[in-house]
Amino acid sequence: KDDGGATTQEIEFYNFWKSVSSQQTHKKGQFREKQWATVETLCRLSTDIRDQIAHTSACVDRLKNAKAEVSSKTEALDSLCESVLKQKKQAENAAASIGTRLIHFDRLESVTQKLSPHSYTQTTQQKHQPSLEHNPANQKPSVEAAGGASDKENRFEAVEDSPLPIPISVSEFARCMNEIDESLVFFETHSDFLNASQYSRQFEHLRHRACSLIRTALQ
């Protein structure tokens, strides 16, 4: 309408309404801008979260693969350790078996020395003939030397009660006889071993010598 037909009050109301409408339109525009800014921010956050989830998923997959690899290596290591332990056990058993067999080869010399009449002669001479080596005529024997000589005499007297003409006790002689029998059975059972027949003959000779010593003691 033409302003000429409107009253002053209507004109003021129209101007007020126009300014309010303009302000409201401006506020709506600002509100919409804020809304769009919030939406854009949420979109960016969603994109970042999606990227983080993808990165985390990739890390989880790598961890799963690493775990599977470690588990596989652990199982292989456990299997290897079990195999090594079995081999160690087998080696220990083999070493024990070899040691048990070698004892029959090693005991020949010790049994021969124990049953040797020559060692008895030497022991008897040492008992009745004191040694003058490193002992001047005017020098008295020390207490340690006297104690050592006393120990030798006591050891000889302990064996001297034995009726056997060798410097070992009856129990030790019986142990030697058992060792001879065990070794003879071993070499007869394992005749394919190196020098088995030679060792068997030597132990047989020791058995005859032991029997001769028994006959001498009983006469």
Side-chain angles (χ1 to χ4, degrees), residues 55-71:
H55 178 70
T56 304
S57 179
C59 291
V60 170
D61 292 337
R62 287 195 297 270
L63 287 175
K64 288 182 178 179
N65 295 332
K67 178 183 177 182
E69 184 178 359
V70 170
S71 298

Side-chain angles (χ1 to χ4, degrees), residues 203-219:
F203 275 107
E204 189 68 35
H205 177 70
L206 289 176
R207 176 188 281 176
H208 290 307
R209 181 184 298 177
C211 293
S212 299
L213 293 173
I214 293 174
R215 285 194 297 269
T216 300
L218 295 176
Q219 290 178 355

